[in-house]
Amino acid sequence: MAADIRATTNQAPPLADHNTVTSDVALVEAVTRHASAATVDALVPLGAEASTAEAREHGLLANRHEPELVPYDRYGHRVDEVRFHPSWHWLMERGVGYGLGATPWTSQDPHAHVRRAAGFFAWSQTEPGHGCPISMTYAAVPALRVDDALAKEWTPLLASTSYDFGLRPVADKAGALAGMGMTEKQGGSDVRANVTTATPTSVDGEYTLDGHKWFTSAPMNDVFLVLAQAPGGLTCFLLPRVLPDGSRNRLDVVRLKDKLGNRSNASSELEFRGTWAQRLGDEGRGVRTIIEMVAATRLDCVLGSASLMRRALAEASWHVAHRSAFGGLLADKPLMQNVVADLAVESEAATALGLRLAAAVDAAHDPREAALRRIALPLAKFWVCKRTPMMVAEALECLGGNGYVEESGLPLLYRESPLNSVWEGSGNVNALDVLRALSREPEALDAWLVEVGRASGEDPRLDRAIEGVLESLADTSALEVGARRLAGRMAACLQGALLVQFAPAAVADAFCATRLGTEYGGTLGTLPRGVDLASIVTRTTPLAS
Ligand SMILES: Cc1cc2nc3c(=O)[nH]c(=O)nc-3n(C[C@H](O)[C@H](O)[C@H](O)COP(=O)(O)OP(=O)(O)OC[C@H]3O[C@@H](n4cnc5c(N)ncnc54)[C@H](O)[C@@H]3O)c2cc1C
């Protein structure tokens, strides 16, 4: 009898209902370590919803149906709005509703930032693009705190768990979202070159802005922190989209960017003509003021990249656990075990470092934790974001041809994967920021030494790597040209120290051998002999709940 040509066999079932929190052992352990088991429990509903087929579908739809610029309404009035697909709103409503915006800044929970970081990590696995406005909303609050009155006015709205979309007076809104406008055509890293001007009005603290921004994401957000040249130098301003009297602020959305990935999110070019803004902080202190927002968004770049890694790993390990070739499950083939185990090591290291940084935010009152955050943020931003594209590409390959097809979700992750390294300070800028911290803030190096020193004597490869960092710091002649190498080594030492203390021995051993020792084989899937691959693969493969 002829075979049924429609029969489909040996295809992995879709990865759904696996709970992005509870099925991630490394995440659960990190949250328990830095917060508590109760914090994990509080995140269970989020993890359950993030993994549903419905959430996955909304993630794909929000990217397929991209935001559209609506410059004019039907009567010809200039409106400068952006229209989103309902799936975008579905994702935003839940992201904000789960408290992933600025909620931790008003929370009494001593672990509010760890909880939020874990939530952001787990929820972003639905779709990464909508994390952008949520991150900027989270990040605006520490910068706002330079001005008591503005912080008092805006923080409760940004901390709200109500997603209230649309350009209306904020007094009528149940919640608000924030964005950031720094980058101009002539420079994004070197914001001192900004040409947008700010002219004081007759009212103290109020200005009008003239100029442009070359990249401003999420232009439908309610309020933006922007940089402009005031008489006293580069200054930070708070720019609302709707004025206090209910009329629209003059803010022309010129174009939406046609981007590689991040396509669910709108990133715009703006023009300001007499645009009303309030000064945030002193004139001439713009970078000092907005750097607080930059630092908080850098944390989300690390968490966002770790989240991409975890989602890619979950898909890869799930697929190989259900797909057979050459007479056996792929997950049982020694070489595939090597690949998945190596992906898992990378993912776990990123997760551990991201959550450690969030714990440093919770403990910001402790000067040592503040100093650790100062240096570990650019280190992690450089290293974790830089390693994400190659990691996601390797995970994609585990699914074979299916991984290259949109329905698998892997292409979306792959297109997103370089982004966190580009924005909020590209790779070089973060590596150079590490040098700045080392040269200007000696307590930052002390904090790094204390942190990596917690694992001292546990693994000789880690000990040698720490010594190597100190030796390269002693040679001050070549620091700038070697900044990436140094940042990478320092970040890997932080990750190694965390894994040696808290991860299973197999994970720490594989990490130390290949990321700190001499056994890196030039690509993922080259873990040396003797690593307990099967146990790492088992630890990392999601179980259907
Ligand atoms: C999707 C997307 C959304 C964005 N959203 C926003 C937003 O909402 N708000 C906003 O303000 N910006 C936004 N940006 C802009 C982003 O932050 C900038 O693109 C980024 O900071 C780099 O600036 P640039 O593009 O001007 O590149 P440049 O500053 O010209 O840098 C180009 C390259 O040179 C390197 N470089 C710079 N200085 C040095 C140096 N001294 N030594 C060695 N190398 C150096 C950089 O690392 C980079 O690789 C967004 C970008 C993207 C892609």
Side-chain angles (χ1 to χ4, degrees):
M1 206 166 77
D4 178 359
I5 57 169
R6 290 261 162 92
T8 304
T9 59
N10 196 27
Q11 288 281 4
L15 174 58
D17 299 327
H18 66 289
N19 198 310
T20 58
V21 174
T22 54
S23 72
D24 184 345
V25 181
L27 177 68
V28 168
E29 289 178 2
V31 174
T32 309
R33 181 158 74 237
H34 296 301
S36 64
T39 306
V40 176
D41 291 344
L43 290 165
V44 170
L46 179 157
E49 189 160 28
S51 67
T52 56
E54 185 184 15
R56 184 192 172 90
E57 184 66 7
H58 283 300
L60 291 173
L61 286 173
N63 281 274
R64 192 165 303 141
H65 303 282
E66 295 173 14
E68 284 172 27
L69 178 62
V70 183
Y72 296 93
D73 71 8
R74 58 186 286 206
Y75 305 105
H77 302 115
R78 182 106 199 188
V79 290
D80 294 289
E81 294 200 7
V82 178
R83 188 183 294 134
F84 291 90
H85 187 266
S87 288
W88 168 267
H89 297 301
W90 189 95
L91 293 160
M92 286 295 296
E93 194 178 335
R94 281 152 186 81
V96 171
Y98 282 121
L100 307 181
T103 311
W105 302 108
T106 56
S107 168
Q108 300 304 312
D109 178 356
H111 307 300
H113 292 277
V114 168
R115 175 180 166 160
R116 185 259 169 200
F120 182 79
F121 170 97
W123 181 254
S124 298
Q125 290 173 47
T126 57
E127 191 282 326
H130 75 291
C132 169
I134 290 176
S135 283
M136 294 193 292
T137 300
Y138 168 70
V141 170
L144 278 175
R145 286 180 170 175
V146 73
D147 185 311
D148 283 346
L150 288 174
K152 216 167 151 197
E153 181 184 346
W154 284 96
T155 303
L157 284 160
L158 301 176
S160 166
T161 51
S162 297
Y163 173 59
D164 192 352
F165 179 78
L167 300 184
R168 299 194 312 282
V170 282
D172 300 345
K173 297 193 78 169
L177 298 172
M180 156 197 281
M182 297 196 296
T183 308
E184 297 185 0
K185 289 173 194 162
Q186 69 287 343
S189 308
D190 187 4
V191 290
R192 291 166 309 173
N194 273 192
V195 293
T196 297
T197 58
T199 310
T201 68
S202 54
V203 182
D204 184 36
E206 298 185 10
Y207 293 66
T208 52
L209 307 191
D210 290 277
H212 78 280
K213 291 295 162 187
W214 183 233
F215 276 94
T216 299
S217 289
M220 286 300 284
N221 284 2
D222 301 276
V223 67
F224 295 83
L225 303 198
V226 300
L227 293 178
Q229 301 287 358
L234 193 65
T235 304
C236 187
F237 293 92
L238 182 141
L239 188 163
R241 282 224 59 184
V242 177
L243 295 169
D245 69 4
S247 62
R248 296 270 169 105
N249 203 357
R250 178 76 196 263
L251 185 149
D252 296 351
V253 183
V254 180
R255 259 198 311 187
L256 298 186
K257 301 285 194 187
D258 182 10
K259 297 173 288 185
L260 165 68
N262 194 252
R263 296 186 80 92
S264 63
N265 180 31
S267 299
S268 65
E269 296 168 17
L270 302 180
E271 285 178 358
F272 304 142
R273 290 184 185 81
T275 306
W276 184 83
Q278 290 166 286
R279 195 185 65 242
L280 185 64
D282 294 335
E283 280 194 12
R285 308 268 297 170
V287 173
R288 268 294 166 93
T289 304
I290 210 163
I291 202 75
E292 290 295 329
M293 183 172 186
V294 172
T297 46
R298 282 182 182 174
L299 172 61
D300 276 12
C301 291
V302 177
L303 295 167
S305 288
S307 168
L308 288 174
M309 286 193 196
R310 172 61 202 169
R311 168 79 196 274
L313 169 66
E315 295 284 353
S317 56
W318 176 260
H319 182 87
V320 301
H322 293 88
R323 174 90 168 177
S324 296
F326 299 100
L329 269 184
L330 287 172
D332 295 333
K333 305 285 180 193
L335 188 51
M336 184 55 96
Q337 284 192 344
N338 198 325
V339 174
V340 175
D342 215 355
L343 292 170
V345 167
E346 194 68 35
S347 169
E348 180 152 355
T351 304
L353 186 52
L355 270 291
R356 175 64 186 92
L357 284 168
V361 182
D362 276 323
H365 49 274
D366 176 343
R368 175 146 292 150
E369 289 290 299
L372 179 69
R373 181 169 161 260
R374 170 66 189 95
I375 191 155
L377 262 184
L379 284 174
K381 163 79 163 77
F382 168 73
W383 181 244
V384 173
C385 301
K386 193 58 64 196
R387 293 180 69 77
T388 305
M390 63 107 186
M391 188 281 182
V392 173
E394 198 63 64
L396 180 155
E397 192 172 322
C398 290
L399 277 72
N402 285 354
Y404 205 71
V405 173
E406 292 289 341
E407 287 167 316
S408 74
L410 269 299
L412 191 157
L413 302 183
Y414 184 63
R415 284 192 298 272
E416 188 80 10
S417 64
L419 180 54
N420 282 319
S421 187
V422 173
W423 60 15
E424 302 305 334
S426 306
N428 287 357
V429 170
N430 271 277
L432 293 171
D433 193 34
V434 171
L435 295 189
R436 197 171 306 116
L438 289 169
S439 70
R440 293 191 193 161
E441 297 169 57
E443 63 277 13
L445 179 59
D446 290 346
W448 180 85
L449 281 168
V450 169
E451 185 69 10
V452 294
R454 293 184 210 280
S456 166
E458 298 288 332
D459 189 296
R461 296 159 298 193
L462 174 61
D463 293 343
R464 271 199 301 278
I466 296 168
E467 279 164 28
V469 166
L470 294 177
E471 281 160 21
S472 42
L473 283 175
D475 177 9
T476 52
S477 66
L479 279 181
E480 184 167 340
V481 72
R484 275 183 178 229
R485 173 172 276 270
L486 178 70
R489 294 303 282 173
M490 291 182 77
C493 286
L494 282 174
Q495 291 181 319
L498 288 167
L499 296 183
V500 162
Q501 291 173 86
F502 304 116
V507 175
D509 179 36
F511 184 92
C512 290
T514 51
R515 277 67 168 178
L516 299 173
T518 54
E519 304 216 47
Y520 177 54
T523 183
L524 287 164
T526 56
L527 294 175
R529 280 178 194 202
V531 171
D532 183 357
L533 301 172
S535 75
I536 302 176
V537 173
T538 303
R539 173 177 169 81
T540 213
T541 306
L543 298 172
S545 50

